[in-house]
Amino acid sequence: MRNIRRILSAAAVAVAGAVVLGACSSGGASTSASTFVIVTAAQPASFSYETSATGYEAAEFFKNTGASLLRNKYVAGTDGQAEHEDYNAFQGILAKSYDVSSDGLTYTFHLDTDAESTAGNKLTADDVIWSMERKFAVKTSIVSFISAPFITKPDQFTKVDDSTVTMTVAKKSYGYTALSLLSNVSYNVYDYTELKKHITSSDPYAVKWSETNANFGFGAYELTTYTPGEQMIYTANPGYAEGEPKVKRIVQRVVADAGQRSNLVKSGDAQIATQLRPADQVALADEKKAQVFDVPTNAYVYMPLLTTDGPFKDVAVRRALAYAIPYDKINENVYHGRAASISTILSSADPGFDADGLKANETDVAKAKSILADAGYTSDIKFTLTVNNSVPDLNETAVQIQTGAKAAGFDVTIDAVNSSAFQAGLAAKSFDASLGRDYAVVQSPPYVLSLFYTAGSPINWPNFESDALDKAIADGNAAGEATGSKAGTYWNAAQKVLQDQQPTIYINYVQPLNAFANDVDGYVFRSDNVIDYSQLSVSSD
């Protein structure tokens, strides 16, 4: 099926759900090799990365309906950890292979021209070049913000012939981060043959059309049925570059209640549940009703604070709040052992990692009160903490913060809003403070440090600018290899700026909040924290 089908009536939704469960579950316990049911909290706000790049559901959609030139290599876990990405190794998807020039400035990608999009068109160099143009031309795209200075313009990509493209970088040291960018969904390649059918004078890159029409990527799955607010059905793409997936059909159902999502995996009526409460995960694992994996996580719970208006314009208030948060209670009461203190947002596994002087935030109510008193505050600091109501662990964390910070002189109002309102508020930078569970998709140190703090970026939630931070990152970029020890001293300096200025309070590192039926194989932890459906299978496969 090449045209997405929408089911709009409640009756049709009910019938579709009944058919799905009947096909996927035998006596509520076994998994079908042909169809998996995944229960999730919400749906992507848009099918276009250039207009709606953030949010778990969006990232998972972009990963599974799209494909990039490369991906990070998947490697076996050790010490009980799940299979996961090796951030320092790259392998081809739409590029069968790549070469690097002797000066390290030119990368040549040899395309898999047998790969087919979900619309049925073969991959060509024109798809790559046009996709790069779109990413930088669309005003609402975040690609230019997250890619500088490594990739700054589409002209860095050149067509050699129908099956070959090159990329040039300004410095040899930029190559590692550029490859990392090309390995993730922000650099998915689009089907130009399909999208050019929908180009208009007012929409020269068919962005408006692609907001509501999904099948223009080279991913493992096409979206064949979309029921807004209810369910999405994916069908395997036989022309996928890495081979047709083993699971031929994915039914992704919206189930608002996290407890119900957990119960659906427990009963066998769903194979995977996402966005669970850690308490439910622990119960499922203890009862051996589902698999819950440990991974080398890069996901953190964090609180961006608006630094240009409201109470957090004052750095003293930001520092005081950082001391007021009950980190240990959050780890214990919300995450039940599936979280750990965070002292660095960079991977300590990097060869050049420098941890000197970095430390995790700690709870010290007396210190918080002292900071506020020294700054001249004599009454409680009132602010609103906004949270996405579809993410249960963050709602529970908000309550812990509200209770714990009160003793330090903070009067916190919690505003739980739906996913769309939450994303819109982030984009508008209208929240005093918000809670998110996020990560840097690219794990190159300069990318991680710049991601949420680039001046003018739509994802600079705190609206924070710092000359000291910018200088440390620039000096690191000029110091050679991004993972080298010389650059590492500058990444350390950049993190010290963030720890001193507290534009964002990093609360903890958390394990993935999903669960898998006991007979599901193929889970791989990715830096974007989403599930690669193409790797899934049944244990007996």
Side-chain angles (χ1 to χ4, degrees), residues 431-449:
F431 299 148
D432 290 339
S434 61
L435 276 179
R437 181 165 17 86
D438 219 323
Y439 38 79
V441 170
V442 171
Q443 285 290 287
S444 171
Y447 178 95
V448 176
L449 293 166

Side-chain angles (χ1 to χ4, degrees), residues 198 236 366:
H198 309 286

